[in-house]
Amino acid sequence: MRVAQDTELALALDLLRAGELVAFPTETVYGLGADASNPSAVAKIFAAKGRPADHPLIVHLAGADSLDDWSREVPDEARRLAAAFWPGPLTLILKRSARVPDAVTGGQDTVGLRVPDHPLALALLSAFEGGIAAPSANRFGRISPTTAAHVRAELGAAVSLVLDGGPCAVGIESTIVDLSRGAARVLRPGAIGAADIAGVLGTGTAQGSACFQPAQPPRVSGAMAAHYAPSSPLRLVAAVDLAAAVRAALAEGRDVAVIARTLRAFAAAGLRWHAAPLDAAGYARELYATLRLLDAAGADLILVEAPPPEAAWQAVADRLQRAACGSGENDET
Ligand code: TXA
Ligand code: MG
């Protein structure tokens, strides 16, 4: 590792041990980290994000060997999924151990655990020799950051140090699988699909619906419909209707940004066009940075070509639907 990075890593460890916040890269999105065993450090995460205290945090670990330190009941399914996908974009919800403070779980009896697949995150976690509680390093309800610059722009002085590990390779948050109450259940889709999980477990995997609006205070903050939202209104439009929707919005005098996949670009005054990757993994990698750019450019309306219905697009479709739900443009969806 480069000398500059070694110095930053040493500083990050000092800060974490002193109960301060450190933002760090993972393969999914950047996390806002604190010592998971220190309740007052964890409280700083909620303050910096503006996040309600009953929204639980994921504890990041250096490896699956410490699963039993953080969970009092690790089912065989959890060990198999950890062996198959860690380090990687998978979070397991398990019964928590006595070591996990209430501040991390929002008082729930379960804890989210994950081993991220990023060299800098793994170096930090191994050297720290403890768990690092970290949500995505954005203000509550906003788009997750996929570069160090996004974190600085979003959280500024609220975070002591941002470790820069370059742009995130996956680009959307981890798949969350609940194993704390019997059969595995996907709470949040991600790059690891339900079929991948079922392939390891050899069973069907139940799934929550994307735009579901819980009546109870949410156990999973990402399950709130108005999540991952840009500030500009965003509307999902079927590919066949997109050109007409763009022309109609331009005719109303709106500054329109388009995120297209298959529709060919056309030029018009007041129109900004973004051609997104045709594959789901490439699309996910760029999605949040694209939304930030279009937001910053001040579009009055972001029209997004709806992704295909295939399973590979499920996580992207989920994030786009939430961004749309949060924007007030989508009373009909
Ligand atoms: O990819 C990721 O998961 C990123 C990186 C930084 O690891 N983290 C992330 O954290 O997305 P956050 O806090 O933004 O989203 C984690 C989600 C939240 O919706 C939270 O409610 C849910 O995980 N969660 C955490 N602990 C839980 C628990 N015990 N039961 C149910 N949901 C839980
Ligand atoms: Mg988040």
Side-chain angles (χ1 to χ4, degrees):
M1 206 168 288
R2 290 181 296 113
V3 176
Q5 221 163 57
D6 282 351
T7 314
E8 293 246 293
L9 208 54
L11 177 59
L13 288 168
D14 286 347
L15 288 166
L16 287 173
R17 288 179 184 133
E20 298 300 330
L21 301 183
V22 173
F24 63 96
T26 81
E27 80 282 35
T28 58
V29 301
Y30 274 70
L32 179 61
D35 179 355
S37 303
N38 179 342
S40 62
V42 170
K44 290 180 187 167
I45 293 178
F46 290 90
K49 276 187 66 98
R51 174 161 165 160
D54 62 350
H55 287 246
L57 304 178
I58 295 170
V59 177
H60 296 71
L61 307 173
D65 2 338
S66 49
L67 260 177
D68 296 275
D69 295 340
W70 297 89
S71 168
R72 66 174 187 276
E73 196 181 304
V74 182
D76 181 53
E77 286 88 341
R79 294 193 202 280
R80 279 155 57 206
L81 290 176
F85 298 118
W86 282 356
L90 176 70
T91 296
L92 298 176
I93 307 295
L94 301 173
K95 298 252 171 63
R96 76 187 206 184
S97 73
R99 173 176 185 164
V100 184
D102 277 338
V104 168
T105 69
Q108 296 187 53
D109 192 36
T110 55
V111 64
L113 300 172
R114 161 164 132 79
V115 178
D117 187 14
H118 190 289
L120 204 48
L122 288 171
L124 183 69
L125 285 159
S126 309
F128 185 59
E129 294 180 341
I132 299 181
S136 51
N138 50 281
R139 304 271 310 157
F140 181 64
R142 312 307 310 178
I143 301 164
S144 294
T146 53
T147 67
H150 293 163
V151 181
R152 288 192 200 98
E154 180 114 8
L155 295 176
V159 51
S160 308
L161 175 67
V162 183
L163 291 176
D164 190 344
C168 300
V170 174
I172 55 172
E173 305 80 357
S174 60
T175 306
I176 301 182
V177 176
D178 187 356
L179 286 167
S180 70
R181 46 186 80 199
R185 192 178 159 77
V186 176
L187 299 184
R188 180 175 71 184
I192 295 172
D196 302 319
I197 290 156
V200 169
L201 298 183
T203 54
T205 305
Q207 201 133 6
S209 86
C211 230
F212 122 90
Q213 188 65 270
Q216 298 294 317
R219 293 174 58 248
V220 179
S221 64
M224 290 178 16
H227 216 75
Y228 313 111
S231 3
S232 311
L234 182 150
R235 196 194 305 160
L236 274 169
V237 183
V240 290
D241 301 325
L242 186 57
V246 173
R247 292 204 173 87
L250 289 171
E252 287 168 16
R254 301 174 85 165
D255 273 331
V256 181
V258 174
I259 302 179
R261 276 182 68 252
T262 60
L263 186 66
R264 291 275 287 281
F266 56 89
L271 177 61
R272 191 171 286 102
W273 197 278
H274 179 84
L278 288 173
D279 67 301
Y283 193 108
R285 189 177 304 127
E286 286 186 7
L287 175 61
Y288 290 156
T290 302
L291 290 176
R292 272 174 198 273
L293 272 179
L294 297 179
D295 238 3
D300 309 327
L301 176 64
I302 303 174
L303 293 175
V304 182
E305 180 178 332
E310 283 100 69
W313 287 86
Q314 196 196 359
V316 161
D318 169 83
R319 300 313 188 275
L320 287 173
Q321 274 154 21
R322 291 184 203 290
C325 291
S327 77
E329 267 292 320
N330 289 272
D331 300 337
E332 73 276 24
T333 52

